[in-house]
Amino acid sequence: MKRSYSLIAGVVVLAAAVSFAQKPKTIKPGWNLFSQAQDVQLGKEAAGEIEKQVAVVNNAQLVDYVNRIGKKLVAQPEAGQYPYTFKVVYDKSINAFALPGGPSYVHTGLILAADNEAQIAGVLAHEVSHVALRHGTSQVTKAQAIQLLAGLGGAMAGGGLLGQLAQVGAGLGANSLLLKFSRSAESDADLLGARMMAKAGYDPVEMAKFFEKLEAQEQSSGRSIPQFLSDHPNPGNRVKAVSAEVKLMPAREYTKGDTADLGRMKTTINGLPVPPKANTNFRADSGGVTARPNAQLKQYSAKGLGFKYPSNWEVFSNQQSSEITVASRDGIAETNGNAEIAYGAIIGLAQTKSQVNIENDTKAFLDRMLQQNKNMKASGEATKRFSVNGANALLNVFFGPSAFQGQREVDAVVTVAHPQGLLYMILIAPEGEYPKAQPVFDQMIQSLQF
Ligand SMILES: [Zn+2]
């Protein structure tokens, strides 16, 4: 379901108080059922999948530039012994990502956004640290230990690790190795990355400065959070934490890199032809699994409206209307400043001319919705009549194309006769996910209070 405005996170996350240790923290990989060789194999398979979805740039100058920075970093002991590779992806969004075992990618949008080479090195050092600390497979281990114990034993036998894991119910899309990391993983990647940068001669503080710059951009533009910060949430005052880490290192001269060099790279990027099939939101291809609602619910209450929503979802307010959206960030695709809710809920109050007539006002509301979303169609299911909070309510179900590629979307539209107008709650999920989401959606509907 398309929304022609950007969303602003309505919930402000307060940075946790950070205490600074006086000696360097020992940073180690977490619990992991995969072997290091399996990390490498998984990363290779996932890279093959992902490179079908993104536009890898072959411009020699750019490839050399990024590789020169990457090689300086992975020559440091912090990077461990993985077969690292560095590629440039044509994508306007400010992002970079790395897969288990070493395949690393930087978006053209990130190079354009960097003030200096040290900032690009900072992002790469942070990504390389996630690889060295094996955060991707450690996170999968924690989430799917039981299935993995059943599946990993024979998984090296051929047929692909991704495929074999799918067979034991540990279905890992290539993109699910790019999950959002925890704050402790972020803080470890910042610190290990800072050490790696310093040894390679780059000013480590530039890494934290770049992240803070992205945050400032988000706040000043009112645009939603850059993908990089969504995948790599701020563990709490990054500049301070990295600066404290630098103080523990032996004093040395740092470089921010060659300014003219970076300028030439930016000119090259701006002159690149737009690839025919650049998919700027390939992450939306996880099929929605990472956006699935938790059964544990939280309470929302404001302006005389209350309802419960999944604890892993966030509340977003819309700039140009009183609507609110509740979703996981992974459930929202953004293109050209438009938000497309692929997995989530939209709640609002539509004005009516006089006292609500649930049948007529719902019909008018649905007509408007279908006009704004031309590809949506009625499901053919009969309208369901029930009551919510003692008021008459209707449920109408629609189908449309999902932002998760190749899937159909279910839009369940609940309308309720509210004293001030037509209260609506639109529950959206890709069709394959809908049965899993429905029990939570039902609870959300029944929790409406006004
Ligand atoms: Zn990170």
Side-chain angles (χ1 to χ4, degrees):
M1 161 119 2
K2 284 200 174 62
R3 283 346 225 184
S4 56
Y5 33 72
S6 57
L7 301 168
I8 307 175
V11 180
V12 179
V13 179
L14 294 174
V18 184
S19 62
F20 299 109
Q22 290 309 299
K23 58 178 193 220
K25 184 186 168 197
T26 308
I27 301 171
K28 282 191 197 139
W31 180 43
N32 208 316
L33 287 171
F34 293 84
S35 66
Q36 289 191 34
Q38 283 172 329
D39 269 26
V40 173
Q41 190 188 342
L42 261 188
K44 236 181 228 165
E45 289 178 24
E49 291 299 309
I50 283 169
E51 288 183 23
K52 287 181 208 157
Q53 300 171 46
V54 300
V56 173
V57 176
N58 290 317
N59 180 286
Q61 259 190 311
L62 277 170
V63 173
D64 286 352
Y65 181 74
V66 169
N67 273 279
R68 184 161 54 74
I69 303 171
K71 281 194 180 123
K72 274 192 226 170
L73 297 168
V74 302
Q76 310 311 322
E78 285 78 9
Q81 299 293 319
Y82 291 97
Y84 289 98
T85 56
F86 296 92
K87 293 186 181 179
V88 180
V89 168
Y90 189 97
D91 192 317
K92 281 184 287 189
S93 62
I94 301 171
N95 206 4
F97 57 95
L99 293 164
S104 309
Y105 302 83
V106 54
H107 286 190
T108 47
L110 188 141
I111 299 174
L112 290 177
D115 294 329
N116 54 54
E117 185 180 313
Q119 293 190 347
I120 299 171
V123 170
L124 291 179
H126 179 99
E127 293 293 343
V128 164
S129 299
H130 280 308
V131 173
L133 293 168
R134 311 185 60 211
H135 285 152
T137 46
S138 173
Q139 196 154 306
V140 172
T141 296
K142 285 174 195 153
Q144 311 212 47
I146 291 166
Q147 295 93 319
L148 291 176
L149 283 168
L152 277 176
M156 292 296 277
L161 198 45
L162 283 172
Q164 296 204 17
L165 288 173
Q167 277 174 21
V168 295
L172 285 183
N175 295 332
S176 57
L177 292 166
L178 300 167
L179 291 175
K180 180 152 110 176
F181 293 117
S182 68
R183 283 167 203 271
S184 71
E186 284 311 305
S187 137
D188 282 357
D190 279 359
L191 294 189
L192 196 71
R195 291 174 197 170
M196 201 183 295
M197 281 180 86
K199 285 186 187 161
Y202 289 112
D203 186 349
V205 172
E206 289 300 319
M207 170 174 58
K209 277 194 183 158
F210 183 68
F211 296 158
E212 300 232 322
K213 178 181 146 166
L214 295 186
E215 272 170 19
Q217 249 176 25
E218 176 206 357
Q219 278 156 12
S220 68
S221 68
R223 287 292 312 272
S224 75
I225 198 158
Q227 185 70 45
F228 186 85
L229 290 180
S230 163
D231 294 348
H232 304 269
N234 188 344
N237 206 329
R238 288 185 131 138
V239 169
K240 216 171 160 187
V242 171
S243 304
E245 182 71 18
V246 172
K247 290 204 187 90
L248 302 172
M249 298 172 188
R252 59 173 299 169
E253 287 285 309
Y254 292 122
T255 176
K256 290 185 170 54
D258 186 323
T259 315
D261 230 16
L262 177 58
R264 276 193 294 278
M265 294 308 136
K266 291 185 179 182
T267 309
T268 304
I269 288 171
N270 288 324
L272 287 175
V274 179
K277 269 182 140 180
N279 180 351
T280 54
N281 217 322
F282 78 92
R283 204 67 59 79
D285 240 9
S286 67
V289 177
T290 58
R292 190 181 291 166
N294 257 344
Q296 203 179 4
L297 303 180
K298 281 199 286 205
Q299 178 69 34
Y300 172 90
S301 312
K303 296 179 199 157
L305 175 71
F307 60 86
K308 291 197 159 72
Y309 67 98
S311 60
N312 63 326
W313 285 9
E314 291 175 60
V315 177
F316 299 88
S317 53
N318 294 334
Q319 256 173 321
Q320 288 150 34
S321 84
S322 55
E323 262 186 3
I324 51 178
T325 293
V326 196
S328 147
R329 287 178 194 271
D330 291 343
I332 303 172
E334 277 213 52
T335 39
N336 310 322
N338 288 337
E340 192 160 351
I341 320 300
Y343 206 153
I346 299 167
I347 299 107
L349 188 68
Q351 302 297 322
T352 49
K353 286 195 192 95
S354 49
Q355 210 193 345
V356 181
N357 175 315
I358 187 74
E359 301 287 340
N360 294 346
D361 289 320
T362 296
K363 186 181 181 309
F365 175 78
L366 295 177
D367 286 347
R368 276 200 306 279
M369 184 187 78
L370 290 175
Q371 248 166 22
Q372 286 159 10
N373 292 271
K374 298 266 186 232
N375 294 320
M376 272 176 75
K377 294 207 163 37
S379 68
E381 250 179 75
T383 301
K384 197 178 151 202
R385 291 173 173 77
F386 59 111
S387 77
V388 166
N389 196 34
N392 287 330
L394 302 182
L395 169 69
N396 287 279
V397 179
F398 295 83
F399 289 136
S402 172
F404 297 127
Q405 287 193 355
Q407 292 201 54
R408 196 155 77 148
E409 166 178 300
V410 180
D411 299 84
V413 184
V414 175
T415 45
V416 186
H418 184 282
Q420 269 108 51
L422 191 72
L423 178 67
Y424 58 90
M425 180 182 254
I426 307 172
L427 300 144
I428 307 151
E431 192 173 21
E433 280 288 309
Y434 199 79
K436 298 193 179 74
Q438 197 170 13
V440 178
F441 285 175
D442 287 346
Q443 287 186 59
M444 290 174 72
I445 296 166
Q446 284 305 329
S447 73
L448 271 168
Q449 282 180 318
F450 48 87

